[in-house]
Amino acid sequence: MTRPVLVAASFSPWSERARFALDHHRIDYVQEEYMPFLGEPLLRLRTRVFRGQLSVPVLFHDGRVIRDSVEIARHADRVGSGAPLFPSGAEAEIARYVEMATGLMEAGRAVSMPRMRQNPAVGRESLPPSLPAPLRAVLSPLVGMGTAYIARKYRVSEYPLDETRAKIRRTLEQLRTALRGRGTLLSDFTFADIAAAVALTVVRPVEHPVIPLGPAMRAAFTEPGLADEFGELLEWRDRLYAERRSARPRGNQASL
Ligand SMILES: N[C@@H](CCC(=O)N[C@@H](CS)C(=O)NCC(=O)O)C(=O)O
């Protein structure tokens, strides 16, 4: 097997759920950091997708181009060596939790984006840590353009904030009921747990070496009222990360 290349954004929960699955399967891949807006023309060339929406994560492997975090996790199940994340017979249940988690992340993007745009420190922090200092200085002012671009691309202004927060709360209540104090959503650890745990970033990001968010970015993602109200869900997520999320060293390089 050739070494897969994952183009991903270090701040993005969609990228993190793909990385979690690849690491679970102990797949040795190279990660290239993607910068919104600036990185899109090159990514379009590499994927040969010249129309329509293009987002990250994208996995390049053995001639395949996989443009979706859930599909990347399924690919990891096929080529990796860990226990299956999509065990047969559990597909429908996992799909239901993935849909719930994706809705949570979309709603979270809508409520966190205005906070990101208000705080200039977010821009500085969201540059890839691996970028050399001179390049950071040049690119710093362009990050705000990237944030504005994401806000337009995902129509963030069309989400009414109060309604969106209420939707987040309802989903968290469903998740709490589904977990019923257990360690995993289904009888075994599956991609449903990864999707739910990662989606809780939009309530408060986990503290873990694989999540290199700075303080401004962490504050932008955090919903203080919901973090207090759903503390036990965050504790579940923190335990899951401590027990299941490997932080193996790997090739990591900056890319536009
Ligand atoms: N279906 C995709 C959706 C990924 C997605 O929404 N990615 C956003 C996360 S903010 C992204 O790439 N944003 C940067 C951009 O669009 O330039 C998946 O699950 O991989």
Side-chain angles (χ1 to χ4, degrees):
M1 162 166 114
T2 60
R3 201 171 181 204
V5 174
L6 181 76
V7 180
S10 47
F11 64 87
S12 164
W14 280 268
S15 291
E16 166 57 7
R17 67 186 186 180
R19 279 192 308 255
F20 199 143
L22 291 165
D23 288 340
H24 165 84
H25 277 297
R26 296 185 279 282
I27 293 169
D28 179 27
Y29 60 97
V30 178
Q31 183 178 306
E32 294 182 2
E33 182 66 27
Y34 175 77
M35 287 186 65
F37 182 62
L38 294 177
E40 194 168 311
L42 181 58
L43 190 60
R44 284 196 182 277
L45 268 177
R46 292 174 75 188
T47 53
R48 315 205 72 71
V49 173
F50 299 109
R51 284 158 193 264
Q53 234 181 43
L54 181 63
S55 57
V56 291
V58 175
L59 188 79
F60 296 90
H61 190 208
D62 282 344
R64 291 190 62 186
V65 181
I66 307 174
R67 298 195 284 121
D68 182 80
S69 53
V70 182
E71 288 310 312
I72 293 171
R74 284 185 203 284
H75 180 69
D77 252 23
R78 285 190 292 271
V79 300
S81 56
L85 294 172
F86 297 86
S88 57
E91 287 280 335
E93 254 187 307
I94 295 173
R96 199 167 55 78
Y97 285 117
V98 169
E99 194 183 331
M100 194 189 271
T102 303
L104 197 54
M105 298 198 300
E106 284 167 358
R109 174 164 57 199
V111 296
S112 61
M113 211 93 213
R115 289 190 291 252
M116 288 183 194
R117 297 185 70 182
Q118 275 156 19
N119 185 353
V122 164
R124 290 192 292 277
E125 281 177 10
S126 57
L127 281 171
S130 50
L131 273 187
L135 204 51
R136 293 180 78 81
V138 174
L139 293 178
S140 209
L142 300 179
V143 172
M145 280 168 64
T147 317
Y149 177 72
I150 292 186
R152 274 199 312 280
K153 183 168 170 180
Y154 297 100
R155 301 174 185 274
V156 160
S157 63
E158 291 175 17
Y159 287 73
L161 288 183
D162 286 346
E163 245 175 68
T164 306
R165 264 192 200 96
K167 182 189 165 176
I168 294 177
R169 174 177 281 107
R170 280 197 302 278
T171 309
L172 295 174
E173 279 163 357
Q174 286 168 5
L175 210 47
R176 180 160 58 191
T177 308
L179 264 171
R180 303 193 300 276
R182 295 174 311 173
T184 52
L185 284 161
L186 309 187
S187 52
D188 291 313
F189 175 70
T190 66
F191 191 70
D193 299 303
I194 294 183
V198 171
L200 289 169
T201 301
V202 306
V203 180
R204 191 177 66 213
V206 65
E207 301 273 352
H208 192 281
V210 295
I211 307 292
L213 295 176
M217 199 66 159
R218 283 182 180 276
F221 271 123
T222 300
E223 282 287 326
L226 293 175
D228 284 346
E229 195 179 334
F230 293 93
E232 82 275 29
L233 275 182
L234 298 180
E235 281 165 22
W236 167 77
R237 183 270 319 267
D238 293 351
R239 269 196 310 279
L240 191 105
Y241 260 76
E243 288 165 12
R244 304 272 185 182
R245 184 71 175 95
S246 57
R248 295 172 309 104
R250 61 164 173 264
N252 207 356
Q253 62 192 57
S255 133
L256 293 185

